[in-house]
């Protein structure tokens, strides 16, 4: 005889897992904002910058941002786990470090 599956319990477990993953992602994004020093900006300015970045069609600007971000994570990794915290190891990122001066201006 076949074992009866409890679909409700499976759906609930999947929903719980999805909520957990979403909460972890939100926490990691918050750590990223703090680690880069962007938490010093007001929410409207930060949102405007992100919206401009999303809407940008300039491939060279996006590549420059990607390279700058990769360099940021490499620096943080050498300093002892800051990037690992953002990438999800569970370690706590240092809130302000010297990363605040890493952008060198706005693009």
């Amino acid at each position: 005889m076949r074992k009866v599956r409890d679909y409700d319990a499976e759906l609930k477990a999947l929903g719980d897992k999805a909520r957990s993953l979403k909460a972890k992602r939100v926490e990691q994004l918050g750590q990223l904002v703090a680690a880069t020093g962007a938490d010093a900006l007001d929410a409207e300015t930060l949102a405007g910058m992100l919206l401009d970045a999303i809407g940008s069609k300039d491939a060279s600007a996006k590549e420059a941002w990607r390279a700058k971000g990769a360099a940021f994570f490499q620096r943080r990794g050498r300093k002892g786990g800051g990037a690992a915290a953002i990438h999800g190891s569970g370690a706590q990122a240092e809130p302000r470090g010297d990363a605040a001066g890493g952008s060198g201006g706005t693009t």
Side-chain angles (χ1 to χ4, degrees):
M1 178 170 235
R2 286 177 63 158
K3 182 178 176 184
V4 177
R5 290 177 67 177
D6 186 355
Y7 290 110
D8 289 335
E10 290 179 28
L11 283 173
K12 183 180 182 320
L14 286 173
D16 291 345
K17 178 75 173 180
R19 276 189 293 282
S20 172
L21 290 171
K22 184 175 181 178
K24 183 177 179 180
R25 179 155 171 82
V26 168
E27 180 180 347
Q28 289 173 339
L29 290 170
Q31 289 173 347
L32 179 62
V33 167
T36 59
D39 58 339
L41 300 171
D42 60 276
E44 293 82 7
T45 302
L46 182 59
M49 288 171 41
L50 292 171
L51 289 169
D52 277 351
I54 289 169
S56 176
K57 304 281 190 235
D58 186 357
S60 63
K62 286 184 177 185
E63 177 55 29
W65 296 334
R66 190 208 58 77
K68 192 178 288 187
F72 170 78
F73 284 118
Q74 288 174 353
R75 276 193 317 270
R76 300 281 296 181
R78 284 194 298 266
K79 288 184 180 179
I86 293 169
H87 286 304
S89 75
Q92 185 65 23
E94 52 201 67
R96 293 284 295 196
D98 73 344
S103 80
T106 57
T107 304

Coordinates of all heavy atoms in Angstrom, one line a residue:
M1 N 0.8 -1.2 0.0 CA 0.0 0.0 0.0 C 0.9 1.3 0.0 O 1.9 1.3 0.7 CB -0.9 0.0 1.2 CG -1.8 1.2 1.4 SD -3.0 0.9 2.6 CE -4.4 1.2 1.7
R2 N 0.5 2.3 -0.8 CA 1.2 3.5 -0.8 C 1.1 4.4 0.4 O 0.0 4.4 1.0 CB 0.8 4.3 -2.1 CG 1.3 3.7 -3.4 CD 0.7 4.5 -4.5 NE 1.2 5.9 -4.5 CZ 1.2 6.6 -5.5 NH1 0.8 6.2 -6.7 NH2 1.7 7.9 -5.4
K3 N 2.1 5.0 0.7 CA 2.1 6.0 1.9 C 1.4 7.2 1.4 O 1.6 7.8 0.4 CB 3.5 6.3 2.3 CG 3.6 7.2 3.5 CD 5.0 7.5 3.9 CE 5.1 8.5 5.0 NZ 6.4 8.8 5.4
V4 N 0.5 7.7 2.3 CA -0.3 8.9 2.0 C 0.6 10.1 2.2 O 1.2 10.2 3.3 CB -1.6 8.9 2.8 CG1 -2.3 10.2 2.6 CG2 -2.4 7.7 2.6
R5 N 0.6 11.0 1.3 CA 1.4 12.3 1.5 C 0.6 13.4 2.1 O -0.6 13.5 1.7 CB 2.0 12.8 0.1 CG 3.0 11.8 -0.5 CD 3.5 12.3 -1.8 NE 4.2 13.6 -1.7 CZ 4.8 14.2 -2.7 NH1 4.7 13.6 -3.9 NH2 5.4 15.3 -2.6
D6 N 1.2 14.1 3.0 CA 0.5 15.2 3.6 C 0.9 16.5 2.9 O 1.9 17.1 3.2 CB 0.9 15.3 5.1 CG 0.2 16.4 5.9 OD1 -0.6 17.1 5.2 OD2 0.4 16.4 7.1
Y7 N 0.1 16.8 1.8 CA 0.4 17.9 1.0 C 0.3 19.3 1.7 O 1.1 20.2 1.5 CB -0.6 18.0 -0.2 CG -0.3 16.9 -1.2 CD1 -1.2 15.9 -1.4 CD2 0.8 16.9 -2.0 CE1 -1.0 14.8 -2.3 CE2 1.1 15.9 -2.9 CZ 0.2 14.8 -3.0 OH 0.4 13.8 -3.9
D8 N -0.6 19.4 2.7 CA -0.7 20.6 3.5 C 0.6 20.8 4.3 O 1.1 22.0 4.3 CB -1.9 20.6 4.4 CG -3.2 20.7 3.7 OD1 -3.2 21.2 2.5 OD2 -4.2 20.2 4.2
A9 N 1.1 19.8 4.9 CA 2.4 20.0 5.7 C 3.5 20.3 4.7 O 4.4 21.1 5.1 CB 2.7 18.7 6.4
E10 N 3.6 19.7 3.6 CA 4.7 20.0 2.6 C 4.6 21.4 2.1 O 5.6 22.1 2.0 CB 4.6 19.0 1.4 CG 5.0 17.6 1.8 CD 5.0 16.6 0.6 OE1 5.1 17.1 -0.5 OE2 4.7 15.4 0.9
L11 N 3.4 21.9 1.8 CA 3.2 23.3 1.4 C 3.6 24.2 2.5 O 4.2 25.3 2.3 CB 1.8 23.5 0.9 CG 1.4 23.0 -0.4 CD1 -0.1 23.1 -0.7 CD2 2.2 23.7 -1.5
K12 N 3.2 23.9 3.7 CA 3.6 24.8 4.9 C 5.1 24.8 5.0 O 5.7 25.9 5.2 CB 2.9 24.3 6.1 CG 3.2 25.2 7.3 CD 2.5 24.7 8.6 CE 2.7 25.5 9.8 NZ 4.0 26.2 10.0
A13 N 5.7 23.7 4.9 CA 7.2 23.6 5.1 C 7.9 24.4 4.0 O 8.8 25.2 4.2 CB 7.7 22.2 5.0
L14 N 7.4 24.3 2.7 CA 7.9 25.1 1.6 C 7.7 26.6 1.9 O 8.6 27.4 1.6 CB 7.3 24.7 0.3 CG 7.8 23.3 -0.2 CD1 7.0 23.0 -1.5 CD2 9.3 23.4 -0.6
G15 N 6.5 27.0 2.3 CA 6.3 28.4 2.6 C 7.2 28.9 3.7 O 7.7 30.1 3.6
D16 N 7.4 28.1 4.8 CA 8.3 28.5 5.8 C 9.7 28.7 5.3 O 10.4 29.7 5.7 CB 8.3 27.5 7.0 CG 6.9 27.5 7.7 OD1 6.1 28.4 7.6 OD2 6.7 26.5 8.4
K17 N 10.1 27.8 4.5 CA 11.5 27.9 3.9 C 11.6 29.1 3.0 O 12.6 29.9 3.1 CB 11.8 26.6 3.0 CG 13.1 26.6 2.4 CD 14.2 26.3 3.3 CE 15.5 26.2 2.5 NZ 16.6 25.9 3.4
A18 N 10.6 29.4 2.2 CA 10.6 30.6 1.4 C 10.7 31.9 2.2 O 11.4 32.8 1.9 CB 9.4 30.7 0.5
R19 N 9.9 32.0 3.3 CA 9.9 33.1 4.2 C 11.3 33.3 4.8 O 11.8 34.4 5.0 CB 8.8 33.0 5.3 CG 7.5 33.5 4.8 CD 6.5 33.6 5.9 NE 6.1 32.3 6.5 CZ 5.3 31.4 5.9 NH1 4.7 31.7 4.8 NH2 5.0 30.2 6.4
S20 N 11.9 32.1 5.2 CA 13.2 32.2 5.9 C 14.3 32.7 4.9 O 15.1 33.5 5.2 CB 13.6 30.8 6.3 OG 14.9 30.7 6.8
L21 N 14.2 32.2 3.6 CA 15.2 32.7 2.6 C 15.0 34.2 2.3 O 16.0 34.9 2.1 CB 15.0 31.8 1.3 CG 15.5 30.4 1.5 CD1 15.1 29.6 0.2 CD2 17.0 30.3 1.7
K22 N 13.8 34.6 2.3 CA 13.5 36.0 2.0 C 14.0 36.9 3.1 O 14.6 37.9 2.9 CB 12.0 36.3 1.8 CG 11.7 37.7 1.4 CD 10.2 37.9 1.1 CE 10.0 39.3 0.7 NZ 8.6 39.6 0.3
A23 N 13.8 36.5 4.4 CA 14.3 37.2 5.5 C 15.8 37.3 5.5 O 16.4 38.3 5.8 CB 13.7 36.6 6.8
K24 N 16.4 36.2 5.2 CA 17.9 36.1 5.1 C 18.4 37.1 4.1 O 19.4 37.8 4.3 CB 18.4 34.7 4.8 CG 19.9 34.6 4.8 CD 20.3 33.1 4.6 CE 21.8 32.9 4.6 NZ 22.2 31.5 4.4
R25 N 17.8 37.1 2.9 CA 18.2 38.0 1.8 C 18.0 39.5 2.3 O 18.9 40.3 2.0 CB 17.4 37.8 0.6 CG 17.7 38.7 -0.5 CD 17.4 38.1 -1.9 NE 17.5 39.0 -3.0 CZ 18.7 39.3 -3.6 NH1 19.8 38.7 -3.2 NH2 18.7 40.1 -4.6
V26 N 16.9 39.8 2.9 CA 16.7 41.2 3.4 C 17.8 41.6 4.4 O 18.3 42.7 4.4 CB 15.3 41.3 4.0 CG1 15.1 42.6 4.7 CG2 14.2 41.2 2.9
E27 N 18.1 40.7 5.3 CA 19.2 40.9 6.3 C 20.5 41.1 5.6 O 21.3 42.1 5.9 CB 19.3 39.7 7.2 CG 20.4 40.0 8.3 CD 20.5 38.8 9.3 OE1 19.6 37.9 9.3 OE2 21.5 38.7 10.0
Q28 N 20.8 40.3 4.6 CA 22.1 40.5 3.8 C 22.1 41.8 3.1 O 23.2 42.5 3.1 CB 22.3 39.3 2.9 CG 22.6 38.0 3.5 CD 22.6 36.9 2.5 OE1 22.0 37.0 1.5 NE2 23.2 35.8 2.9
L29 N 21.0 42.3 2.5 CA 21.0 43.5 1.8 C 21.2 44.7 2.8 O 21.9 45.6 2.6 CB 19.7 43.7 1.1 CG 19.5 42.8 -0.1 CD1 18.1 42.9 -0.7 CD2 20.5 43.2 -1.2
G30 N 20.6 44.6 4.0 CA 20.9 45.5 5.1 C 22.3 45.6 5.5 O 22.9 46.7 5.7
Q31 N 23.0 44.4 5.6 CA 24.4 44.4 5.9 C 25.2 45.0 4.9 O 26.2 45.7 5.1 CB 24.8 42.9 6.2 CG 24.3 42.3 7.4 CD 24.6 40.8 7.5 OE1 25.0 40.2 6.6 NE2 24.4 40.3 8.7
L32 N 24.8 44.8 3.6 CA 25.6 45.4 2.5 C 25.5 46.9 2.5 O 26.5 47.6 2.4 CB 25.0 44.9 1.2 CG 25.7 45.4 -0.1 CD1 27.1 45.1 -0.2 CD2 24.9 44.9 -1.3
V33 N 24.3 47.4 2.8 CA 24.1 48.9 2.9 C 25.0 49.4 4.0 O 25.7 50.5 3.8 CB 22.6 49.2 3.1 CG1 22.4 50.7 3.5 CG2 21.8 48.9 1.8
A34 N 25.0 48.8 5.2 CA 25.8 49.3 6.3 C 27.3 49.2 6.0 O 28.0 50.1 6.3 CB 25.4 48.5 7.5
A35 N 27.7 48.0 5.4 CA 29.1 47.8 5.1 C 29.7 48.8 4.1 O 30.9 49.2 4.2 CB 29.3 46.4 4.6
T36 N 28.9 49.3 3.2 CA 29.4 50.2 2.2 C 29.3 51.7 2.7 O 29.8 52.6 2.0 CB 28.5 50.1 0.9 OG1 27.2 50.4 1.2 CG2 28.7 48.8 0.2
G37 N 28.6 51.9 3.8 CA 28.5 53.2 4.3 C 27.3 53.9 3.8 O 27.0 55.1 4.1
A38 N 26.5 53.2 3.0 CA 25.3 53.9 2.4 C 24.2 54.1 3.4 O 23.2 54.8 3.2 CB 24.7 53.0 1.3
D39 N 24.3 53.5 4.6 CA 23.4 53.8 5.7 C 23.4 55.2 6.2 O 22.5 55.7 6.9 CB 23.5 52.8 6.8 CG 24.9 52.9 7.5 OD1 25.9 53.3 6.8 OD2 25.0 52.4 8.6
A40 N 24.5 56.0 5.8 CA 24.5 57.4 6.1 C 23.6 58.2 5.3 O 23.3 59.4 5.6 CB 26.0 57.9 6.0
L41 N 23.2 57.7 4.1 CA 22.2 58.4 3.3 C 20.8 58.3 3.8 O 20.5 57.3 4.4 CB 22.3 57.8 1.8 CG 23.7 57.9 1.1 CD1 23.6 57.1 -0.1 CD2 24.1 59.3 0.9
D42 N 20.0 59.3 3.4 CA 18.6 59.1 3.8 C 18.0 58.1 2.8 O 18.5 57.9 1.7 CB 17.9 60.5 3.8 CG 17.9 61.1 2.4 OD1 18.9 61.8 2.1 OD2 16.9 60.9 1.6
A43 N 16.8 57.6 3.2 CA 16.2 56.5 2.4 C 15.8 56.9 1.0 O 15.9 56.2 0.1 CB 15.0 56.0 3.2
E44 N 15.4 58.2 0.9 CA 14.9 58.7 -0.4 C 16.1 58.8 -1.4 O 16.0 58.4 -2.5 CB 14.3 60.1 -0.3 CG 12.9 60.0 0.5 CD 13.1 60.0 2.0 OE1 14.2 60.2 2.5 OE2 12.0 59.9 2.6
T45 N 17.3 59.2 -0.9 CA 18.4 59.3 -1.7 C 18.9 58.0 -2.2 O 19.2 57.7 -3.3 CB 19.6 60.1 -1.0 OG1 19.1 61.4 -0.6 CG2 20.8 60.2 -1.9
L46 N 19.0 57.0 -1.2 CA 19.4 55.7 -1.5 C 18.5 55.0 -2.5 O 18.9 54.4 -3.5 CB 19.5 54.9 -0.2 CG 20.0 53.4 -0.4 CD1 21.4 53.4 -1.0 CD2 20.0 52.7 1.0
A47 N 17.2 55.2 -2.3 CA 16.2 54.6 -3.2 C 16.4 55.2 -4.6 O 16.3 54.5 -5.6 CB 14.8 54.8 -2.7
G48 N 16.6 56.5 -4.7 CA 16.7 57.2 -6.0 C 18.0 56.7 -6.7 O 17.9 56.5 -7.9
M49 N 19.1 56.5 -6.0 CA 20.3 56.0 -6.6 C 20.1 54.6 -7.2 O 20.5 54.3 -8.3 CB 21.4 56.0 -5.6 CG 21.9 57.3 -5.2 SD 23.1 57.4 -3.8 CE 24.1 56.0 -4.1
L50 N 19.4 53.7 -6.4 CA 19.2 52.4 -6.8 C 18.2 52.3 -8.0 O 18.5 51.6 -9.0 CB 18.6 51.5 -5.7 CG 19.6 51.3 -4.5 CD1 18.8 50.6 -3.3 CD2 20.7 50.4 -5.0
L51 N 17.2 53.2 -8.0 CA 16.3 53.2 -9.2 C 17.0 53.7 -10.4 O 16.8 53.2 -11.5 CB 15.1 54.1 -8.9 CG 14.1 53.6 -7.8 CD1 13.1 54.6 -7.4 CD2 13.4 52.3 -8.4
D52 N 17.9 54.7 -10.3 CA 18.7 55.1 -11.4 C 19.6 54.0 -11.9 O 19.8 53.8 -13.2 CB 19.6 56.3 -11.1 CG 18.8 57.6 -11.2 OD1 17.7 57.6 -11.7 OD2 19.4 58.7 -10.8
A53 N 20.2 53.3 -11.0 CA 21.1 52.1 -11.4 C 20.3 51.1 -12.2 O 20.8 50.5 -13.2 CB 21.8 51.6 -10.2
I54 N 19.1 50.8 -11.7 CA 18.3 49.7 -12.3 C 17.9 50.2 -13.7 O 17.9 49.4 -14.6 CB 17.0 49.4 -11.4 CG1 17.5 48.7 -10.2 CG2 16.0 48.6 -12.2 CD1 16.4 48.6 -9.2
G55 N 17.5 51.5 -13.8 CA 17.0 52.0 -15.1 C 18.1 52.3 -16.1 O 17.8 52.6 -17.2
S56 N 19.4 52.3 -15.7 CA 20.5 52.7 -16.6 C 20.6 51.7 -17.7 O 20.6 50.5 -17.5 CB 21.8 52.7 -15.8 OG 22.9 53.0 -16.6
K57 N 20.8 52.3 -18.9 CA 21.1 51.5 -20.1 C 22.5 51.4 -20.5 O 22.9 50.8 -21.4 CB 20.3 52.0 -21.3 CG 18.8 52.1 -21.0 CD 18.1 50.8 -21.2 CE 16.6 51.0 -21.2 NZ 15.9 50.2 -20.2
D58 N 23.4 52.2 -19.7 CA 24.8 52.4 -20.0 C 25.5 51.1 -19.6 O 25.8 50.9 -18.4 CB 25.3 53.6 -19.3 CG 26.7 53.9 -19.7 OD1 27.4 53.2 -20.4 OD2 27.2 55.0 -19.2
A59 N 25.9 50.3 -20.5 CA 26.6 49.0 -20.2 C 28.0 49.3 -19.6 O 28.4 48.5 -18.7 CB 26.7 48.1 -21.4
S60 N 28.7 50.3 -20.0 CA 30.0 50.6 -19.5 C 29.9 51.1 -18.0 O 30.8 50.7 -17.2 CB 30.7 51.6 -20.3 OG 30.1 52.9 -20.3
A61 N 28.9 51.8 -17.7 CA 28.7 52.2 -16.3 C 28.4 51.0 -15.4 O 28.9 50.9 -14.3 CB 27.6 53.3 -16.2
K62 N 27.5 50.1 -15.9 CA 27.2 49.0 -15.2 C 28.4 48.1 -14.9 O 28.6 47.5 -13.9 CB 26.1 48.2 -15.9 CG 24.7 48.8 -15.7 CD 23.6 48.0 -16.3 CE 22.3 48.6 -16.1 NZ 21.2 47.8 -16.6
E63 N 29.3 47.9 -15.9 CA 30.5 47.1 -15.8 C 31.4 47.8 -14.8 O 32.1 47.1 -14.0 CB 31.2 47.0 -17.2 CG 32.5 46.2 -17.1 CD 32.4 44.9 -16.4 OE1 31.4 44.2 -16.5 OE2 33.5 44.4 -15.9
A64 N 31.5 49.1 -14.8 CA 32.4 49.8 -13.9 C 31.8 49.6 -12.4 O 32.6 49.4 -11.5 CB 32.4 51.3 -14.2
W65 N 30.5 49.7 -12.3 CA 29.9 49.4 -10.9 C 30.2 48.0 -10.5 O 30.5 47.7 -9.3 CB 28.4 49.6 -11.0 CG 28.0 51.1 -11.2 CD1 28.7 52.2 -11.0 CD2 26.8 51.5 -11.8 NE1 28.0 53.3 -11.4 CE2 26.8 52.9 -11.9 CE3 25.7 50.8 -12.3 CZ2 25.8 53.6 -12.4 CZ3 24.6 51.6 -12.8 CH2 24.7 52.9 -12.8
R66 N 30.1 47.0 -11.4 CA 30.3 45.6 -11.1 C 31.8 45.4 -10.7 O 32.1 44.8 -9.6 CB 30.0 44.7 -12.3 CG 30.0 43.2 -11.9 CD 30.4 42.4 -13.1 NE 31.7 42.7 -13.7 CZ 32.9 42.3 -13.1 NH1 32.9 41.7 -12.0 NH2 34.0 42.7 -13.7
A67 N 32.7 46.0 -11.4 CA 34.1 45.9 -11.1 C 34.4 46.5 -9.7 O 35.2 46.0 -8.9 CB 35.0 46.5 -12.1
K68 N 33.8 47.7 -9.4 CA 34.0 48.4 -8.2 C 33.5 47.5 -7.0 O 34.1 47.4 -5.9 CB 33.4 49.7 -8.2 CG 33.7 50.6 -7.0 CD 33.1 52.0 -7.1 CE 33.7 52.8 -8.2 NZ 33.2 54.2 -8.2
G69 N 32.3 46.9 -7.3 CA 31.7 46.0 -6.2 C 32.6 44.8 -6.0 O 32.8 44.4 -4.8
A70 N 33.1 44.2 -7.1 CA 34.0 43.0 -6.9 C 35.2 43.4 -6.1 O 35.6 42.6 -5.2 CB 34.3 42.5 -8.3
A71 N 35.8 44.5 -6.4 CA 37.0 45.0 -5.7 C 36.6 45.2 -4.2 O 37.4 44.9 -3.3 CB 37.5 46.3 -6.3
F72 N 35.4 45.8 -3.9 CA 35.0 46.0 -2.5 C 34.9 44.7 -1.8 O 35.4 44.5 -0.7 CB 33.6 46.7 -2.5 CG 33.0 46.7 -1.2 CD1 33.4 47.6 -0.2 CD2 32.0 45.8 -0.8 CE1 32.8 47.7 1.0 CE2 31.4 45.8 0.4 CZ 31.8 46.8 1.3
F73 N 34.3 43.6 -2.4 CA 34.2 42.3 -1.7 C 35.6 41.7 -1.5 O 35.8 41.0 -0.5 CB 33.3 41.4 -2.5 CG 31.8 41.8 -2.3 CD1 31.0 42.2 -3.3 CD2 31.3 41.7 -1.0 CE1 29.7 42.5 -3.1 CE2 29.9 42.1 -0.8 CZ 29.1 42.5 -1.9
Q74 N 36.5 41.9 -2.5 CA 37.8 41.3 -2.3 C 38.6 41.9 -1.2 O 39.2 41.3 -0.4 CB 38.6 41.4 -3.6 CG 38.1 40.5 -4.7 CD 38.8 40.7 -6.0 OE1 39.6 41.6 -6.2 NE2 38.5 39.8 -7.0
R75 N 38.5 43.3 -1.1 CA 39.1 44.0 0.0 C 38.5 43.5 1.4 O 39.2 43.3 2.3 CB 38.9 45.5 -0.1 CG 39.8 46.2 -1.0 CD 39.7 47.7 -0.8 NE 38.4 48.2 -0.7 CZ 37.6 48.6 -1.7 NH1 38.1 48.6 -2.9 NH2 36.4 49.1 -1.5
R76 N 37.2 43.4 1.4 CA 36.5 43.0 2.7 C 36.9 41.6 3.0 O 37.0 41.3 4.2 CB 35.0 43.1 2.5 CG 34.5 44.5 2.2 CD 34.4 45.4 3.3 NE 33.4 44.9 4.3 CZ 33.1 45.4 5.4 NH1 33.7 46.6 5.7 NH2 32.3 44.9 6.3
G77 N 37.1 40.7 2.1 CA 37.4 39.4 2.4 C 38.8 39.2 3.0 O 39.0 38.5 3.9
R78 N 39.7 40.1 2.5 CA 41.1 40.0 3.1 C 41.1 40.6 4.5 O 42.0 40.3 5.3 CB 42.0 40.8 2.2 CG 42.4 40.1 0.9 CD 43.6 40.8 0.3 NE 43.3 42.1 -0.1 CZ 42.9 42.5 -1.3 NH1 42.7 41.6 -2.2 NH2 42.7 43.7 -1.6
K79 N 40.2 41.5 4.8 CA 40.2 42.1 6.1 C 39.6 41.3 7.2 O 39.6 41.7 8.4 CB 39.5 43.5 6.1 CG 40.2 44.5 5.3 CD 39.5 45.8 5.3 CE 40.3 46.8 4.5 NZ 39.6 48.1 4.5
G80 N 39.1 40.1 6.9 CA 38.6 39.2 8.0 C 37.1 39.0 8.0 O 36.6 39.2 9.1
G81 N 36.5 38.6 7.0 CA 35.1 38.1 7.1 C 34.0 39.1 6.8 O 32.9 38.7 6.9
G82 N 34.3 40.3 6.5 CA 33.2 41.2 6.2 C 32.4 40.8 5.0 O 31.2 40.9 5.0
A83 N 33.0 40.4 3.9 CA 32.3 40.0 2.7 C 31.6 38.7 3.0 O 30.5 38.5 2.5 CB 33.3 39.8 1.5
A84 N 32.2 37.8 3.8 CA 31.5 36.5 4.1 C 30.2 36.8 4.8 O 29.2 36.1 4.5 CB 32.4 35.7 5.0
A85 N 30.1 37.8 5.6 CA 28.9 38.1 6.3 C 27.8 38.5 5.3 O 26.6 38.2 5.4 CB 29.1 39.2 7.4
I86 N 28.2 39.3 4.4 CA 27.3 39.8 3.4 C 26.8 38.7 2.5 O 25.7 38.6 2.1 CB 27.9 41.0 2.6 CG1 28.1 42.2 3.5 CG2 27.0 41.4 1.4 CD1 28.9 43.3 2.9
H87 N 27.7 37.8 2.2 CA 27.4 36.7 1.3 C 26.7 35.5 2.0 O 26.4 34.5 1.4 CB 28.7 36.1 0.6 CG 29.2 37.0 -0.5 ND1 28.4 37.4 -1.5 CD2 30.4 37.6 -0.6 CE1 29.1 38.2 -2.3 NE2 30.3 38.4 -1.8
G88 N 26.5 35.6 3.3 CA 25.7 34.6 4.0 C 26.3 33.7 4.9 O 25.7 32.7 5.3
S89 N 27.6 33.9 5.4 CA 28.2 32.9 6.3 C 27.6 33.0 7.7 O 27.8 32.1 8.5 CB 29.7 33.1 6.3 OG 30.0 34.2 7.1
G90 N 26.9 34.1 8.0 CA 26.4 34.2 9.3 C 27.2 35.1 10.2 O 26.8 35.5 11.3
A91 N 28.5 35.4 9.8 CA 29.3 36.3 10.6 C 28.8 37.7 10.5 O 28.2 38.1 9.5 CB 30.8 36.2 10.1
Q92 N 29.0 38.5 11.5 CA 28.5 39.8 11.6 C 29.5 40.8 10.9 O 30.7 40.7 11.1 CB 28.3 40.3 13.0 CG 27.7 41.7 13.1 CD 26.3 41.7 12.6 OE1 25.6 40.7 12.5 NE2 25.8 42.9 12.3
A93 N 29.0 41.6 9.9 CA 29.9 42.5 9.2 C 30.2 43.7 10.1 O 29.3 44.1 10.9 CB 29.2 43.0 8.0
E94 N 31.3 44.3 10.0 CA 31.6 45.5 10.7 C 30.8 46.6 10.1 O 30.8 46.7 8.9 CB 33.1 45.8 10.7 CG 33.8 45.7 9.3 CD 35.2 45.5 9.4 OE1 35.7 44.4 9.8 OE2 36.0 46.5 9.0
P95 N 30.1 47.4 10.9 CA 29.2 48.3 10.3 C 29.7 49.4 9.4 O 29.1 49.7 8.4 CB 28.5 48.9 11.5 CG 29.3 48.6 12.7 CD 30.1 47.4 12.3
R96 N 30.9 50.0 9.7 CA 31.3 51.1 8.9 C 32.7 50.9 8.4 O 33.1 51.6 7.5 CB 31.2 52.4 9.7 CG 29.8 52.8 10.1 CD 29.1 53.3 8.9 NE 29.8 54.6 8.6 CZ 29.3 55.5 7.8 NH1 28.1 55.3 7.3 NH2 29.9 56.6 7.5
G97 N 33.6 50.2 9.0 CA 35.0 49.9 8.5 C 35.6 51.1 7.8 O 35.2 52.2 8.1
D98 N 36.4 50.9 6.8 CA 36.9 52.0 6.0 C 36.2 51.9 4.6 O 36.7 52.6 3.7 CB 38.4 51.9 5.9 CG 38.9 50.8 5.0 OD1 38.2 49.9 4.7 OD2 40.1 50.9 4.6
A99 N 35.2 51.1 4.5 CA 34.5 51.0 3.2 C 33.7 52.2 2.8 O 33.4 52.3 1.6 CB 33.6 49.8 3.3
A100 N 33.5 53.1 3.7 CA 32.7 54.3 3.4 C 33.3 55.1 2.3 O 32.7 55.8 1.5 CB 32.4 55.1 4.7
G101 N 34.7 55.1 2.3 CA 35.4 56.0 1.3 C 35.6 55.2 0.0 O 36.3 55.7 -0.8
G102 N 35.0 54.0 -0.1 CA 35.4 53.2 -1.3 C 34.8 53.6 -2.6 O 35.3 53.2 -3.6
S103 N 33.8 54.4 -2.6 CA 33.2 54.7 -3.9 C 33.9 55.8 -4.7 O 33.9 55.8 -5.9 CB 31.7 55.1 -3.7 OG 31.6 56.5 -3.3
G104 N 34.5 56.7 -4.0 CA 35.3 57.7 -4.7 C 34.4 58.8 -5.4 O 34.9 59.5 -6.2
G105 N 33.1 58.8 -5.2 CA 32.3 59.8 -5.8 C 31.1 59.1 -6.4 O 30.9 57.9 -6.4
T106 N 30.2 59.8 -7.0 CA 29.0 59.3 -7.6 C 29.2 59.2 -9.1 O 30.0 59.9 -9.7 CB 27.8 60.1 -7.3 OG1 28.0 61.5 -7.8 CG2 27.4 60.1 -5.9
T107 N 28.5 58.2 -9.7 CA 28.6 58.0 -11.2 C 27.3 58.5 -11.8 O 26.2 58.3 -11.4 CB 28.8 56.5 -11.5 OG1 30.0 56.1 -10.8 CG2 29.0 56.3 -12.9

